Amino acid sequence: MTTNPSTTAGEASPLAPEWLAVPADLNALHEPMWASGVARNDAGELTLDGLAVSELQRQFGTPLFVMSENDFRARARAFSDAFNNAFADICGGVDVYYAGKSFLCTAVVRWVEEEGLRLDTASGGELAVAARAGIPGSDVALHGNNKSDGEIHRALDMKLGRIVVDSIAELERVARIAGNRGETAKVMLRLTPGVHAHTHEFIATAHEDQKFGLSMAGDSTEQAGLSAAEEAVAAASGHPSIELLGLHCHIGSQIFEPDGFALAAEKLLDFLAAMQSKYSIVLPELDLGGGYGIAYTPVDTPRPAAEIAQAMAAVVRTKCAELGISAPRISIEPGRAIVGSTTFTLYEVGTLKTVRVDAPGADGSKSGNSGETGKNVTYPRRYVSVDGGMSDNPRPVLYDADYSAILASRASAAAPQLSRVVGKHCESGDIVVRDVYLPEDVAAGDLLAVPGTGAYCWALSSNYNYLARPGVVAVRDGSVRLIVRGETEEDLLNRDMGV
Ligand code: LLP
């Protein structure tokens, strides 16, 4: 096989995906992907609120999740302000529940509370964090498609503001448990409006093929002629140990366009109006879930919270007027859009390896990674190994998620080289950033920063290959503290019973 030496500096590699442009300046920070307060200092090193990444590594080691507390608080306030302003004249404002599943620890619960938000949890464990942080139960919601009796008891012990009920069987269990305790459970019903949304697209289908929620379409299994959603409304509204607050839906995650949210809101409002009139009840609340997208790469263009809020408010205003109902109190549950961009993961570079790969399509394959095919044009792809990987960020493996990375420990004037940032796990799919241009002179010992890792990275982390989960530090106004300590070998071994 004949190989060509390289692509020319500054020229796009044929191995790169079409969306990935060669950055004009490899040291520049693409602002939408980073927390406010991230910059380069005069020496070219990445800093957060003036703290250099080499100093963070010295104090806390790598890999490390580095979070800006100010940025978290600012994004939480931005969501809250945007939605409260947009809905002020419709329903007096909006309750914003931070979706704790995206990233949760007691410090974050306190920030959420101090910024005037509430908390959405999805398990007894998340409730335990909420309780430890001391947030009032009235500001907490509990989700889950398979809640245990223990979780329902815990929700009642904590006097939760809402239990979001996912099925008729669960409604009966909540009613029974609350009844046995002589209490009333505050309940929302999670419905599936037949709208799926993902990033730039949404689809509306007649029926929802998914595990969550009460279907608004078709007959319930119990009562012909009633959907599961209606059967639940009928059962909940007459039940002495249930206070039915209203309806809930969540249509997906990492969504950029407001159309899917708007359609779901319209469907829920139609249903809410029909139920109020048929059963002579008032459903005072409507939760439209989370799912607002963030920028993981330069081609992601999330809309500002105010724009989404205004679009949704316009739909709710018009629909309620059309239906002749007063608008229910609206709530939302953003997770990723609050915490995602507050954090970058800091890694140290180890082994580097460059392979030569056929141009994509040379053998009809999309990847071009076809080995010896007799074609004579190949291109370099550099593998840059870091000291973490799929155990601290499984999203590329799970969802083909794209990320970006930057050389953090210094600036570089070297030419861009198409690189794949990979972890240290015994798995060839262990990719952190599939495609990114990094300076040609990246070497072992350099630090890389991967932005946008605040949501669903630490939360989904594992101990695969007995790697210790990294710690999380919060930086605020130039000082840093550990909010979740990294695991030690001791932690890894202390549940091994040795028998
Ligand atoms: N509310 C409910 C009922 C949810 O199920 C979720 C996310 C949210 C709110 C928050 O959604 P967000 O605003 O964060 O998009 N692990 C996947 C995402 C799973 C989302 C699960 N539910 C990922 O890493 O992309």
Side-chain angles (χ1 to χ4, degrees):
M1 180 188 286
T2 324
T3 55
N4 293 354
S6 167
T7 42
T8 320
E11 203 177 275
S13 165
L15 302 180
E18 253 169 49
W19 59 264
L20 185 68
V22 184
D25 175 1
L26 284 175
N27 302 307
L29 298 166
H30 180 71
E31 195 233 330
M33 299 187 322
W34 295 89
S36 59
V38 176
R40 281 194 192 274
N41 63 18
D42 292 345
E45 191 176 347
L46 201 72
T47 59
L48 172 55
D49 287 0
L51 282 174
V53 288
S54 58
E55 176 56 23
L56 294 174
Q57 182 192 34
R58 195 189 59 74
Q59 281 189 50
F60 304 102
T62 50
L64 183 68
F65 288 101
V66 182
M67 175 179 281
S68 162
E69 179 178 342
N70 283 338
D71 196 58
F72 183 102
R73 288 175 180 272
R75 287 176 200 269
R77 274 198 306 275
F79 253 88
S80 179
D81 290 351
F83 276 80
N84 272 303
N85 290 339
F87 281 86
D89 64 321
I90 301 176
C91 54
V94 169
D95 298 315
V96 181
Y97 287 76
Y98 167 68
K101 70 203 78 181
S102 56
F103 175 73
L104 193 64
C105 66
T106 53
V108 158
V109 176
R110 284 193 289 270
W111 305 344
V112 161
E113 203 190 344
E114 285 164 15
E115 298 305 332
L117 279 73
R118 301 180 181 205
L119 179 68
D120 160 24
T121 64
S123 72
E126 290 184 6
L127 281 181
V129 180
R132 170 77 67 89
I135 187 172
S138 53
D139 285 348
V140 180
L142 175 66
H143 271 280
N145 66 302
N146 189 23
K147 300 176 190 74
S148 67
D149 285 4
E151 287 170 326
I152 293 167
H153 275 290
R154 184 167 216 158
L156 294 169
D157 289 345
M158 288 174 67
K159 304 201 183 322
L160 249 51
R162 51 172 69 165
I163 299 175
V164 185
V165 163
D166 212 86
S167 65
I168 290 170
E170 185 186 298
L171 180 66
E172 285 162 2
R173 276 196 306 128
V174 172
R176 177 172 43 76
I177 293 171
N180 289 343
R181 293 167 58 115
E183 295 173 15
T184 304
K186 292 182 184 334
V187 159
M188 304 277 284
L189 297 174
R190 177 164 177 175
L191 311 188
T192 50
V195 179
H196 279 303
H198 181 68
T199 307
H200 295 287
E201 294 155 26
F202 76 89
I203 50 167
T205 54
H207 198 73
E208 284 276 322
D209 189 5
Q210 59 151 309
K211 71 171 182 171
F212 292 110
L214 292 147
S215 176
M216 295 167 70
D219 291 348
S220 83
T221 46
E222 298 300 320
Q223 291 192 40
L226 294 191
S227 65
E230 178 167 354
E231 192 191 329
V233 170
S237 57
H239 207 290
S241 56
I242 297 285
E243 180 184 344
L244 181 57
L245 296 176
L247 309 175
H248 174 284
C249 71
H250 171 76
I251 60 166
S253 212
Q254 184 59 2
I255 300 163
F256 291 142
E257 303 299 331
D259 322 22
F261 297 118
L263 184 61
E266 285 181 341
K267 287 190 162 198
L268 270 277
L269 285 167
D270 276 334
F271 183 78
L272 182 139
M275 292 300 100
Q276 291 192 150
S277 127
K278 182 163 173 186
Y279 294 96
S280 303
I281 52 172
V282 177
L283 297 170
E285 301 203 31
L286 176 63
D287 191 311
L288 296 172
Y292 314 100
I294 64 164
Y296 285 107
T297 72
V299 292
D300 291 332
T301 50
R303 290 166 190 254
E307 200 179 315
I308 304 169
Q310 276 151 19
M312 287 168 71
V315 167
V316 171
R317 187 183 289 112
T318 308
K319 193 71 191 174
C320 288
E322 184 192 311
L323 292 165
I325 58 170
S326 50
R329 174 87 180 177
I330 299 292
S331 49
I332 56 166
E333 299 171 333
R336 188 192 318 262
I338 291 177
V339 72
S341 305
T342 65
T343 301
F344 62 83
T345 309
L346 191 63
Y347 297 104
E348 184 175 315
V349 173
T351 307
L352 293 127
K353 163 186 173 174
T354 301
V355 297
R356 299 206 66 101
V357 179
D358 290 344
D363 63 343
S365 76
K366 189 166 172 271
S367 71
N369 199 349
S370 57
E372 199 66 41
T373 58
K375 304 289 183 295
N376 60 5
V377 184
T378 64
Y379 296 91
R381 170 177 285 135
R382 180 177 55 173
Y383 282 83
V384 178
S385 297
V386 294
D387 50 355
M390 62 189 287
S391 54
D392 58 73
N393 185 0
R395 298 192 69 258
V397 183
L398 282 174
Y399 316 116
D400 264 337
D402 285 313
Y403 281 86
S404 191
I406 199 159
L407 175 58
S409 40
R410 60 189 170 90
S412 167
Q417 179 166 9
L418 184 69
S419 305
R420 179 162 289 174
V421 181
V422 293
K424 60 178 284 156
H425 292 276
C426 290
E427 184 126 344
S428 50
D430 172 26
I431 291 168
V432 178
V433 184
R434 184 173 296 277
D435 298 291
V436 61
Y437 289 99
L438 289 171
E440 246 172 0
D441 63 353
V442 165
D446 278 331
L447 297 176
L448 291 189
V450 174
T453 57
Y456 306 110
C457 290
W458 186 90
L460 288 172
S461 62
S462 77
N463 289 125
Y464 182 39
N465 295 139
Y466 271 73
L467 261 66
R469 271 180 279 238
V472 184
V473 294
V475 173
R476 187 174 196 195
D477 302 335
S479 67
V480 58
R481 67 189 195 282
L482 206 50
I483 55 170
V484 184
R485 104 170 142 70
E487 284 171 329
T488 60
E489 243 171 49
E490 186 81 24
D491 292 323
L492 293 178
L493 285 166
N494 71 9
R495 284 175 300 125
D496 183 330
M497 304 307 283
V499 288

